[in-house]
Amino acid sequence: MEFELTEQQKELQRKAREFAVNEVLPVAHYYDVKNDMAMDVIKKAWEEGLLNLGIPKEYGGPGYGLLDAVIITEEIAAACPGIATSIFDNNLGAEPVVIGGSKEQKERILGELVNEFKLISFATSEPGMGSDVAGMQCRAEKDGDDYILNGSKYWITNAGYADYISVFATVDPDKRHKGICAFIVPTDTEGLRTGSHIPKLGQRASNTCSVVLKDVRVSKKNVLAKPGRGFVLAMQTFAHTRPAIGAFAVGCARSAMEYAIDYTKEREAFGRTIDHYQAIQFKIAEMYKNIEAARLLTYRAAWEADQGKDNNISSACAKAFASDVAMEVTTEAIQIFGGYGYIKTYPVEKLFRDAKLFQIYEGTSEIQRIVISRHAMKRYEHGMPNLYELPSKDIYEELEEEPSQAERPSKSSKELGGKYRCTVCGYVYDPVKGDEDGGIKPGTPFEDIPDGWVCPVCGAEKSKFVKI
Ligand code: FE
């Protein structure tokens, strides 16, 4: 177990923070109000080697692990979650190529992204479908070695500026996940059209738009995943990109907390600056501990991916938890600022709007909870014995009077048919002791208790008992 960042990671963090403070922060408010993509900043990120973080060294990229990527991402998101989303979107767009591309595709596409300032988007969502990836309707029809794409994609980050889009489509919507395939589509392909920038509540500096595909021909060399494999590829991509959403959320929450702390030291109420009040101190404490926990979950999810482990559950935990933390922290930051938190002169109002998207994109918070609960309730291996198989020692044993020696049956509980537990309240019937108040003599096997007897603790009927 090692919680310390390596020297190289600390250096990356320092570099990313410098970029965030010098290049992103000064224009964050401007692009938010303008509702426009910060292309100049994204180009600078490419020049600084902060775009395409996940492209392996053998294809000319920096070959950062996901842990490195989330360290960088937190810093940029702390300055502007919207610009961070657009910067990280190249990782999302390129990830299906990194995971599922052929050597030729990797050399061609990833090589181009490294050598030229190019953007690549990721397109699964559609006007009528988001988290239900298997429910997509965009059609891919085989035509010789080529595929012809027809349909609409929606909510596509950076699509209005992208050079490539990793497009997911289905050969047959009725086949659900088995029909889904994936393609690399250059955006200058005939028949591909992007819509106008969708005006959003937050993360307004990040371009989001529709992609309409009308008889778009994709040649064999740009087929990334054949039918069925596309769904797996999308899920693998999400497992690798969800930790980054955790990092966006941590960065966003962190800067909201920092600004709130600064404010409490200047604002006065009832004769003192408000940092003196416990009501404020406790809000800051909540923020701080939750941000710490969110960051640890995020690091863990990224670390698992870097170790080649299945990080599906850890990334769902990180994404869901950190997103909620960002929403709570930015909400409380506004509360600390009072009226000043609700206006655009201070940055917390923007962070609050930006934070909401974390709970929605890349699989909603509800989808993450479905993933987590399925794991917890079906596959998760328990450390404790089953509740209904717990050893019979119960609190009443200590409290109840033991039957006198004369009354004590000579047989053991086991010889008398064993103990039974009430599945409603947890009371254990021990045949050695019987149930005197209920008229059951010591030495009475559970099976011999007459019908009509009820649990002496909760009153549940005999049928609610199980043998332990
Ligand atoms: Fe009971």
Side-chain angles (χ1 to χ4, degrees), residues 183-415:
F183 311 91
I184 308 160
V185 186
T187 51
D188 58 6
T189 309
E190 203 185 323
L192 186 151
R193 191 167 54 81
T194 54
S196 54
H197 180 127
I198 306 163
K200 302 188 294 293
L201 172 73
Q203 303 207 14
R204 289 157 60 85
S206 175
N207 173 259
T208 314
C209 63
S210 64
V211 178
V212 178
L213 304 146
K214 194 161 186 292
D215 295 327
V216 170
R217 181 172 290 274
V218 183
S219 64
K220 189 184 173 185
K221 68 171 187 169
N222 282 338
V223 177
L224 260 185
K226 295 198 163 133
R229 170 75 193 130
F231 182 80
V232 178
L233 185 59
M235 293 304 124
Q236 288 173 328
T237 300
F238 286 138
H240 275 232
T241 53
R242 276 178 189 152
I245 313 298
F248 290 152
V250 170
C252 175
R254 194 192 85 200
S255 57
M257 175 188 73
E258 291 174 0
Y259 296 142
I261 293 171
D262 294 339
Y263 184 79
T264 64
K265 293 175 180 170
E266 290 298 327
R267 169 72 189 206
E268 288 182 20
F270 306 102
R272 292 196 295 180
T273 50
I274 60 171
D275 59 334
H276 287 92
Y277 297 108
Q278 209 169 45
I280 297 294
Q281 293 162 0
F282 281 8
K283 280 189 200 297
I284 300 294
E286 284 298 312
M287 291 177 175
Y288 190 89
K289 75 175 172 55
N290 287 341
I291 291 168
E292 285 287 301
R295 185 183 293 112
L296 285 172
L297 281 174
T298 299
Y299 281 6
R300 156 87 185 268
W303 176 85
E304 280 191 355
D306 288 343
Q307 300 300 312
K309 294 172 187 287
D310 177 0
N311 72 333
N312 191 38
I313 305 307
S314 61
S315 64
C317 291
K319 202 249 173 204
F321 186 82
S323 301
D324 291 348
V325 166
M327 204 63 243
E328 287 159 20
V329 169
T330 54
T331 303
E332 285 294 70
I334 289 185
Q335 195 65 23
I336 288 172
F337 275 76
Y340 291 100
Y342 200 65
I343 61 177
K344 288 181 185 289
T345 48
Y346 281 123
V348 291
E349 171 268 353
K350 173 184 175 294
L351 292 168
F352 168 83
R353 287 185 287 106
D354 291 345
K356 185 60 204 169
L357 192 49
F358 303 136
Q359 294 177 319
I360 299 171
Y361 65 11
E362 294 268 311
T364 60
S365 289
E366 290 73 22
I367 288 292
Q368 308 309 325
R369 282 169 171 79
I370 289 172
V371 170
I372 297 163
S373 61
R374 270 187 196 152
H375 170 76
M377 299 175 80
K378 288 182 181 162
R379 290 185 296 277
Y380 161 72
E381 211 174 294
H382 288 212
M384 288 292 122
N386 185 288
L387 172 65
Y388 296 105
E389 292 162 12
L390 282 180
S392 67
K393 190 156 177 65
D394 66 302
I395 52 169
Y396 298 101
E397 207 164 334
E398 303 291 331
L399 305 174
E400 279 173 14
E401 266 180 49
E402 286 291 311
S404 67
Q405 279 306 321
E407 288 171 327
R408 181 176 281 277
S410 54
K411 289 179 176 173
S412 70
S413 298
K414 206 174 171 187
E415 286 163 334

Side-chain angles (χ1 to χ4, degrees), residues 56 58-59 92-111 120 166 168 182-184 220-226 229-230 232-234 236-237:
E58 56 180 310
Y59 302 105
L92 175 60
E95 194 65 22
V97 183
V98 174
I99 297 173
S102 66
K103 192 164 169 28
E104 184 281 322
Q105 287 170 333
K106 288 180 186 179
E107 279 169 357
R108 175 163 48 92
I109 305 292
L110 303 180
I120 181 166
S166 294
F168 290 73
F183 311 91
I184 308 160
K220 189 184 173 185
K221 68 171 187 169
N222 282 338
V223 177
L224 260 185
K226 295 198 163 133
R229 170 75 193 130
V232 178
L233 185 59
Q236 288 173 328
T237 300

Side-chain angles (χ1 to χ4, degrees), residues 421-428 453-461 464-465:
R421 187 186 294 279
C422 173
T423 58
V424 178
C425 74
Y427 160 81
V428 174
W453 175 82
V454 294
C455 171
V457 175
C458 76
E461 50 199 66
K464 293 292 183 190
F465 280 69

